[in-house]
Amino acid sequence: MRLLPSDGACRLQAATVAVAVAEDRARGLRPAVVVGNAGTVHTGAVDPLGKLADLATREKLWFHVDDAYGDFFAMTEVGRKKLTGIERADSLTVDPHKGLFLPYGTGCVLVREGADLRRPHAMANDYLPQMQEEADAQDFCEHSPELSRDFRGLRVWLSFKTFGADAFRDALTEKLELARRAEAAIRSIDGLELVAPTDLSLVTFRVARPGEEGDRLTKELLARVNARCRVYLSGTLLRGRFAMRICVLSFRTHADRLDEGLAQIRAELRPLLAEAAGRPSAAPAPERGPGR
Ligand SMILES: *Cc1c(COP(=O)(O)O)cnc(C)c1O
């Protein structure tokens, strides 16, 4: 497995993969699969999927896309443009427990040709039902490592039947708009800097101070905002530097909660920067939420 460097916007460029494929071939290796990302864990970056698909076609490689986070944004107009090329994947990891707000454990892999899943997983045995031989019957134990398996698809099917596709499309469109609003707000706050573009619903930023001082202040800001128990933000390391993140992907997150979170970031940032500059901070006592 080769982990390849991404570009300045945290996206994997097809040219980088092409060089790696050529290098591997020159060493007598046989590259088989290229994996792209439709929304990375760290920044939500979407790789140039169309270009990666072109490369995979040209080099005769299987094209897999980790679509666990980005997936259902493809139902929206904006998301569909961002995820162009995904329709050319040979397989996709898709998480309805993220983009469709369903209970955890509703993850799946989609494969263009069902036979590609059946070949490695199907097994014949005298105690298994004979229905597997019927051409139009699907026995899902033939598509995964599990034999006695949960009926996960029911949650997905029933949710679409109950609420309709538009309910999900509208909710996801709202999340993308909220993230854009958050990105604009963070850009306008003195003392913060965005550290990666917002491709989908994830906004990554830090206190605009170099190196370790920035890391320390960003960690402290994250801790203080989360201590208020009104919004929950997460952090990550990006090229060795600490960043905090707003990820809008709960069906209960609407503009009021987002604005409240942004207000709390502003309120905590001011005294933090004053303290860092050695000025006494007249920090107001934080308004605490009721918690859980
Ligand atoms: C969440 C996520 C995963 C892991 O998926 P699980 O359903 O938690 O196993 C993998 N890749 C990306 C991009 C994710 O966002």
Side-chain angles (χ1 to χ4, degrees):
M1 182 164 72
R2 297 208 34 186
L3 300 177
L4 301 175
S6 54
D7 67 9
C10 305
R11 302 182 190 118
L12 176 64
Q13 290 301 329
T16 310
V17 184
V19 170
V21 167
E23 282 172 2
D24 280 358
R25 292 229 157 98
R27 289 164 57 207
L29 299 171
R30 287 169 34 202
V33 181
V34 57
V35 180
N37 223 305
T40 60
V41 176
H42 290 273
T43 69
V46 178
D47 292 336
L49 300 171
K51 296 241 168 67
L52 290 177
D54 290 343
L55 174 105
T57 307
R58 200 164 59 237
E59 300 284 348
K60 300 196 167 46
L61 302 171
W62 183 275
F63 182 37
H64 176 78
V65 178
D66 181 351
D67 198 19
Y69 155 69
D71 49 23
F72 295 98
F73 287 115
M75 291 176 67
T76 70
E77 210 174 305
V78 171
R80 191 159 37 243
K81 284 192 200 114
K82 297 259 181 194
L83 297 167
T84 300
I86 200 155
E87 69 287 351
R88 295 171 61 196
D90 295 298
S91 55
L92 298 173
T93 313
V94 169
D95 265 352
H97 59 226
K98 289 182 184 163
L100 294 181
F101 322 114
L102 293 181
Y104 275 3
T106 320
C108 59
V109 172
L110 299 180
V111 170
R112 182 176 294 285
E113 299 293 342
D116 289 329
L117 276 185
R118 223 170 294 124
R119 216 176 310 114
H121 293 113
M123 56 170 197
N125 209 308
D126 293 338
Y127 62 77
L128 292 174
Q130 292 308 304
M131 61 162 283
Q132 294 178 345
E133 267 118 67
E134 291 165 30
D136 59 345
Q138 294 285 344
D139 189 341
F140 284 98
C141 78
E142 288 193 297
H143 295 81
S144 82
E146 291 174 281
L147 178 61
S148 306
R149 63 190 292 287
D150 190 11
F151 187 2
R152 297 187 185 86
L154 179 63
R155 297 166 215 168
V156 181
W157 178 83
L158 199 58
S159 302
F160 276 102
K161 280 287 173 192
T162 306
F163 301 108
D166 279 347
F168 291 99
R169 190 172 292 119
D170 292 349
L172 288 163
T173 301
E174 181 199 20
K175 305 316 162 211
L176 291 174
E177 283 165 3
L178 289 177
R180 216 132 309 273
R181 181 183 174 120
E183 187 191 31
I186 297 295
R187 186 174 282 127
S188 75
I189 297 175
D190 249 358
L192 292 182
E193 63 186 6
L194 294 161
V195 295
T198 294
D199 279 345
L200 296 167
S201 76
L202 221 162
V203 185
T204 315
F205 58 99
R206 67 184 246 128
V207 176
R209 292 283 188 281
E212 274 166 33
E213 192 199 0
D215 291 350
R216 187 181 58 75
L217 292 171
T218 308
K219 277 184 196 161
E220 182 61 25
L221 178 63
L222 177 65
R224 291 186 189 184
V225 170
N226 283 342
R228 291 174 172 234
C229 298
R230 292 297 297 163
V231 293
Y232 182 79
L233 307 183
S234 56
T236 191
L237 277 183
L238 206 58
R239 300 199 167 98
R241 296 267 78 104
F242 191 78
M244 56 194 283
R245 307 175 307 160
I246 298 172
C247 184
V248 192
L249 198 63
S250 163
F251 62 96
R252 284 191 296 217
T253 304
H254 303 295
D256 57 341
R257 183 56 60 94
L258 185 87
D259 290 347
E260 184 182 2
L262 290 166
Q264 299 198 336
I265 290 170
R266 282 193 195 88
E268 291 292 356
L269 181 66
R270 223 170 301 122
L272 183 67
L273 291 181
E275 284 164 37
R279 290 194 299 273
S281 85
E287 268 170 55
R288 276 184 184 278
R292 293 215 158 233

